[in-house]
Amino acid sequence: MDLATSGAASARESSKAVVVGRRTGITACSLLLLSLLIYACPGPPELFSSTAFPVLQHPFDARKSVERDELGIALEGTSMKNKTLIIAILNKAYIGENGMLDLFLLSLHQGENTEFLINYLLLVAVDELAFNRCKALQLHCYHLDSEGVSFSKEAFYMSGNFIKMMWRRTQFLREVLRRGYSFIFTDMDILWLRNPLTRLNGGEDLQISCDNYNGQPFDATSNLINTGFYFISSNSRTIALFNRWYGAMNSSSGMKDQDVLLKMSFDGVFEQLDMKVRYLDTDYFSGFCQKSKDFRKVITVHANCCIGSNAKLIDLRAFLEAWKIHNGTSNASWPKHKSCLLAKNRKLILV
Ligand SMILES: *[C@@H]1O[C@H](CO)[C@@H](O)[C@H](O)[C@H]1NC(C)=O
Ligand SMILES: *[C@@H]1O[C@H](CO)[C@@H](O)[C@H](O)[C@H]1NC(C)=O
Ligand SMILES: *[C@@H]1O[C@H](CO)[C@@H](O)[C@H](O)[C@H]1NC(C)=O
Ligand SMILES: *[C@@H]1O[C@H](CO)[C@@H](O)[C@H](O)[C@H]1NC(C)=O
């Protein structure tokens, strides 16, 4: 298994991990300290320096963020006027011919009014081959330093390396928020069939996709989030969230970032930080776990509840074809995602 499974985490697995998981180790004391810091530091996120959060180590040099370093140039060159962009992580497992990257881009080309979004897409390459491929396609690319984590080998799902990569991703995205950029984060095993920006305009701090959506957009207690697709606004509340989230890394050994965020959300972190969070309806932001019921509404399709990039590729391609044929009809009947079901039976990883 490779990083192509990054967003494929089964929420059912996640919720189990949460139930049986140990306390994250964030003490009430440090929470209080953080809240005090947050409220003591109003103002636009651009004004935040690393010293605003002395309890947490800043991974980047704060002075550099003012300078036009490589990341600054990449973000400026990719984002819209309102400092909004789309971010996806690219690794070498995705770059083969007719692989995950090609399918992702194909969906953007063939989707309804989605092609222009490629101009605002930043591919964050975690290895040299991925970076070169990105450059060759003349897309917006940024090479993320792996900081000692070996991205060159295949990372098996939920292995130590896989989990390290996920946390490195969280650390990177925190830095993007700190620089004042809002973004849609998307896994690459997602078809983009329509422009999500048309629906992500509610002004919430965080709008996040769900493996299973319970019909209530503001209910944090039972919507099962999937961190493979979300829109986040850069502000003091969301930066505080990422500080807590990334800060929980060391006390969450063996848990991946999504499980930790799910646990934090059940523990009330969004309420504590006064964040407005919308859980995205799977009729619009759908996946294999819960399919959209309406071809006219569907915006994205995520190969969640599925392990293995080959299975994902086969089934996503079939979904793309089905949508193109039946676009315009309301009663969505998707192909059975056969390959994923087979993979599921073999691995017995998903319930
Ligand atoms: C940013 O600008 C784009 C393009 O004009 C728009 O679609 C999007 O809704 C804006 N985002 C926010 C958060 O205002
Ligand atoms: C995790 O622990 C390592 C080693 O003690 C430390 O260097 C690092 O800053 C810690 N990271 C976080 C996010 O707390
Ligand atoms: C889908 O259908 C709508 C209206 O029926 C049409 O405007 C649109 O171009 C179609 N999109 C694709 C990608 O075929
Ligand atoms: C939708 O399609 C399903 C399966 O093809 C069918 O059983 C159902 O009756 C259809 N519903 C409507 C409202 O057409």
Side-chain angles (χ1 to χ4, degrees):
M1 204 64 42
D2 50 51
L3 188 57
T5 56
S6 63
S10 150
R12 294 181 203 110
E13 286 291 306
S14 309
S15 53
K16 261 189 237 149
V18 167
V19 175
V20 299
R22 288 174 290 129
R23 306 281 314 164
T24 58
I26 303 175
T27 63
C29 179
S30 61
L31 285 183
L32 183 63
L33 182 55
L34 267 170
S35 328
L36 288 175
L37 283 166
I38 293 149
Y39 286 109
C41 305
E46 294 93 309
L47 298 181
F48 279 79
S49 70
S50 61
T51 52
F53 297 97
V55 285
L56 293 158
Q57 208 179 15
H58 196 304
F60 299 85
D61 186 342
R63 278 159 303 168
K64 271 193 189 157
S65 61
V66 193
E67 288 167 23
R68 299 187 78 247
D69 63 1
E70 230 172 282
L71 178 59
I73 292 166
L75 292 171
E76 205 181 299
T78 311
S79 57
M80 301 171 187
K81 283 207 186 75
N82 55 16
K83 294 188 89 176
T84 302
L85 75 159
I86 301 160
I87 297 179
I89 306 280
L90 183 66
N91 79 91
K92 68 175 190 175
Y94 294 148
I95 61 176
E97 204 176 328
N98 291 320
M100 206 65 88
L101 174 62
D102 285 354
L103 182 60
F104 179 69
L105 294 173
L106 182 70
S107 78
L108 281 160
H109 285 299
Q110 299 190 337
E112 200 174 306
N113 193 22
T114 47
E115 197 162 33
F116 80 100
L117 292 169
I118 295 175
N119 298 326
Y120 305 110
L121 168 68
L122 180 63
L123 293 181
V124 177
V126 294
D127 58 62
E128 194 95 17
L129 287 173
F131 184 69
N132 293 342
R133 177 72 187 140
C134 176
K135 280 287 172 205
L137 291 171
Q138 299 188 307
L139 301 166
H140 295 292
C141 318
Y142 176 71
H143 196 168
L144 181 64
D145 171 22
S146 62
E147 287 190 343
V149 185
S150 168
F151 290 110
S152 56
K153 296 202 185 80
E154 283 214 309
F156 287 84
Y157 182 65
M158 289 308 280
S159 67
N161 233 11
F162 175 85
I163 289 172
K164 271 190 207 148
M165 277 192 257
M166 295 298 101
W167 283 108
R168 181 76 183 101
R169 169 176 104 174
T170 305
Q171 183 190 31
F172 169 77
L173 295 173
R174 176 176 74 163
E175 177 61 18
V176 175
L177 283 180
R178 283 177 166 181
R179 291 181 184 220
Y181 288 89
S182 304
F183 57 86
I184 295 178
F185 178 83
T186 180
D187 276 346
M188 211 162 275
D189 59 343
I190 296 184
L191 302 174
W192 283 49
L193 304 176
R194 292 192 168 86
N195 178 1
L197 289 171
T198 58
R199 253 197 108 74
L200 299 175
N201 51 10
E204 286 86 7
D205 296 312
L206 173 66
Q207 304 180 61
I208 188 161
S209 67
C210 301
D211 282 343
N212 288 288
Y213 174 69
N214 72 3
Q216 293 170 42
F218 302 109
D219 176 9
T221 57
S222 64
N223 280 310
L224 288 178
I225 56 169
N226 188 308
T227 50
F229 184 96
Y230 59 88
F231 174 75
I232 189 157
S233 281
S234 169
N235 60 46
S236 56
R237 294 176 298 279
T238 55
I239 292 168
L241 175 74
F242 267 66
N243 282 334
R244 280 205 201 177
W245 187 11
Y246 184 64
M249 175 178 72
N250 284 346
S251 51
S252 312
S253 64
M255 284 170 85
K256 64 182 182 315
D257 57 344
Q258 174 172 281
D259 298 342
V260 172
L261 185 66
L262 187 63
K263 180 177 173 5
M264 285 167 68
S265 78
F266 286 161
D267 287 348
V269 71
F270 298 143
E271 222 170 46
Q272 288 155 24
L273 295 176
D274 203 20
M275 278 180 66
K276 195 136 191 251
V277 177
R278 174 188 289 272
Y279 299 88
L280 295 171
D281 187 339
T282 46
D283 267 355
Y284 297 89
F285 299 92
S286 69
F288 291 168
C289 298
Q290 201 172 66
K291 298 180 212 43
S292 170
K293 295 186 289 298
D294 193 336
F295 283 124
R296 293 175 311 180
K297 288 181 180 168
V298 66
I299 294 173
T300 54
V301 180
H302 189 177
N304 51 11
C305 286
C306 179
I307 304 256
S309 23
N310 279 338
K312 284 167 186 253
L313 276 169
I314 294 167
D315 289 347
L316 281 174
R317 280 191 206 110
F319 269 55
L320 178 59
E321 288 313 309
W323 176 74
K324 282 194 304 192
I325 292 166
H326 300 294
N327 165 42
T329 54
S330 59
N331 189 11
S333 53
W334 299 98
K336 295 223 177 330
H337 41 102
K338 288 188 204 131
S339 302
C340 288
L341 292 172
L342 281 176
K344 188 162 101 177
N345 292 338
R346 269 202 309 275
K347 305 242 175 200
L348 293 173
I349 289 173
L350 300 174
V351 182

